[in-house]
Amino acid sequence: MTTKQALIQAAKTIREKAYVPYSKFQVGAALQTASGTIYTGCNIENAAYPVTCCAERVAIFQAIANGEREFTEMAVVADTDRPVPPCGSCRQVMSEFFSSDMPIHLTNLKQDVKTITMEELLPFSFQPADLEQEV
C-alpha cells in the first residue's frame, strides 16, 4: 500500500468517528509526519457553530501537541460529489505548518482523488514571515 493509499484509508476510518449531530457531514483527515507517524482527525461540531473544529485542524493540532513540526503528506475525505476541499480556516492553518510543495490528497467516498500542493490550495497565503517587519 502506498503512503497516499494508507493516508486515504486512515482518513476514511477516522471519518466514521466524527461528531456531527447538526450537519451530519462527516470529514476525516490523516497527516503523515517526517518521522513517518500518521495523525488523524475528524470534525467535531458544537451547538455554537463557530467553535466547531474541522478534521484537518484536529489532525494538525494532534501532531503539534505531540511535538511534530515536519509534515510530508495529508489526505482529506468526505461524502461529496467531488474531492472535498478544505475550508478557508483549515487552509490558513495548513499553510502555517506545511511546505508550499507538500502534497495534499483530496478525495471522496467514490474514490475520486485530486492531489494538489499547499501552494495550489492557498496561493499567496499569509505566512509567519509576514509578521516580521522593520520599525
Side-chain angles (χ1 to χ4, degrees), residues 15 25-28 76-82 84 107-110:
R15 178 185 164 276
F25 186 72
Q26 297 173 301
V27 181
V76 183
V77 65
D79 188 8
T80 50
D81 287 335
R82 64 179 179 161
V84 65
T107 187
N108 57 20
L109 297 183
K110 296 186 275 186

Side-chain angles (χ1 to χ4, degrees), residues 82-100:
R82 64 179 179 161
V84 65
C87 75
S89 295
C90 287
R91 291 175 194 218
Q92 181 58 45
V93 170
M94 292 161 78
S95 76
E96 175 90 8
F97 297 106
F98 299 171
S99 66
S100 62

Side-chain angles (χ1 to χ4, degrees), residues 52-72:
T52 293
C53 198
C54 300
E56 299 91 328
R57 286 181 282 148
V58 171
I60 293 167
F61 296 161
Q62 280 199 61
I64 296 295
N66 280 284
E68 300 283 1
R69 295 294 187 272
E70 294 181 40
F71 307 102
T72 59

